[in-house]
Amino acid sequence: MVLNKVKFEDIVNELKEAPEMNIYKLIHNLKCSKSLLYSRITENGFNGLKDLKISILKGEI
């Protein structure tokens, strides 16, 4: 995966496989920066990683 090519769907797929994953493991797996990760999450209407994880666990995504 190329640095700026991380999409919101990539983040969701990683978290669906392992919802307990922390921010640092997620950054490592996606090979992106923390800033890029949070910009992808927030531009899709979520307030942060915890908000996104809750939606995934509830089955909303």
Side-chain angles (χ1 to χ4, degrees), residues 17-31:
E17 289 180 26
E20 73 284 349
M21 190 180 305
N22 67 35
I23 184 79
Y24 302 106
K25 182 75 173 168
L26 190 56
I27 289 168
H28 174 75
N29 288 356
L30 293 172
K31 296 174 179 53

Side-chain angles (χ1 to χ4, degrees), residues 8-9 11 14 29-30 33-34 45 49 51 54 56 60:
F8 180 70
E9 294 78 23
I11 299 168
E14 284 288 326
N29 288 356
L30 293 172
S33 68
K34 188 175 177 182
L49 186 60
D51 190 29
I54 290 169
I56 289 170
E60 297 173 350

Side-chain angles (χ1 to χ4, degrees), residues 13-59:
N13 290 337
E14 284 288 326
L15 290 173
K16 280 184 176 180
E17 289 180 26
E20 73 284 349
M21 190 180 305
N22 67 35
I23 184 79
Y24 302 106
K25 182 75 173 168
L26 190 56
I27 289 168
H28 174 75
N29 288 356
L30 293 172
K31 296 174 179 53
C32 71
S33 68
K34 188 175 177 182
S35 309
L36 180 64
L37 184 75
Y38 273 103
S39 70
R40 294 294 184 264
I41 291 171
T42 55
E43 69 190 17
N44 281 280
F46 294 94
N47 293 324
L49 186 60
K50 184 176 181 179
D51 190 29
L52 177 57
K53 284 182 175 185
I54 290 169
S55 292
I56 289 170
L57 290 171
K58 286 182 176 179

